[in-house]
Amino acid sequence: MAALRCLPGVGPKSAQRMAYHLLQRDQTGAGRLSSALRGALDRIRHCERCNSFSEAALCELCASPRRDGALLCVVESPGDLLMVEQTQSYRGLYFVLLGVLSPLDGIGPKEIHLDRLLKRATDGTVREVVLATNFTAEGEATAHYISELLTARNLQVTRIARGLPVGGELDHVDAGTLAQAVLERRAV
Amino acid sequence: MAALRCLPGVGPKSAQRMAYHLLQRDQTGAGRLSSALRGALDRIRHCERCNSFSEAALCELCASPRRDGALLCVVESPGDLLMVEQTQSYRGLYFVLLGVLSPLDGIGPKEIHLDRLLKRATDGTVREVVLATNFTAEGEATAHYISELLTARNLQVTRIARGLPVGGELDHVDAGTLAQAVLERRAV
């Protein structure tokens, strides 16, 4: 039970229910989970190029010849990479920061691998860097810092759009979002 | 009680509670509400220029010399106009459609006053028309129809932005919205 508490969203009650369920009704499942965790810990590492999770030195995306090497999307975490992939709207490659700038927590440019990002973005293949960090204070500060860094190297830097959600109505969004949607209006 | 049911979101229970409250505890309030409704019905009409609610022939916005007459924002309803005003991010004028195109409900270009919008947008003062209809199917179809109409007259037509909300994180938005945010990314 104590070990199960490491799962996100699992409190003492859930941990107890899970433990009894596994032991009483699904020992096969428990065995499979145990080996899966062990296997993942043993085999999964970070891709040398994009920092995402990978079993090989290069992840499947970085190794794929079908992706557009001229586009490089910067995200905070491997989970965010997966979110962008699931939209099927992006055919380029990624760079995962594994964090965001957060000086108060001691997380500076070095901790989020900005030296490696700079090297990667200026390797001659990348033409556009798409900043897809979150629109939180830290995510915005990180995007700003990276854009200063890269535009100085004559790279095209873009930021994913802010505005109304798909299907969104004006009287269901907050004033801040609507203000951004008006300020960042697009030519039709 | 039956009369109170005309208020949005008020069911039989609420209507009953309201009726007893007004009669037992707040007869002054009930009187004020009655006169306010009567006064509003008698005095409030649609602005001749923008269709929004107004007591005069021209509403306060249309009559104001401090607004930028080169910008015309098209919204579906007077409520949407208020939403955009509250963002304090827009200093131009408005045109309220009082509806959206909805052929199945018999609402065509005439019902939403597109002939008057065309006249207004081509009166010589307007340089940019900002389409701020909702991102629903009808709102999008209406925006598309209007943009075809106006770009043919060499007017600059823009659409408020779609994308992530202010403060939004990638793993809290739907895939459709994230896909739009990537497709409509902006230069930094």
Side-chain angles (χ1 to χ4, degrees), chain B residues 1 7 13 21 28 31-32 34 38 40 73 80 85 96 105 108 112 117 119 142-143 145 150 166 168 181 184-185:
Chain B
M1 286 180 222
L7 297 170
K13 275 279 214 189
H21 173 83
T28 326
R32 267 201 303 264
S34 169
R38 172 53 46 207
C73 180
D80 287 348
E85 273 302 288
V96 182
D105 304 316
I112 58 171
L117 170 59
K119 221 170 168 184
T142 306
Y145 189 96
L150 298 184
V166 168
E184 302 188 353
R185 60 187 181 270

Side-chain angles (χ1 to χ4, degrees), chain B residues 43-48 52-60 63:
Chain B
R43 285 193 305 270
I44 291 188
R45 47 183 164 164
H46 291 287
C47 168
E48 285 172 3
S52 188
F53 294 130
S54 173
E55 292 198 22
L58 275 191
C59 71
E60 279 182 27

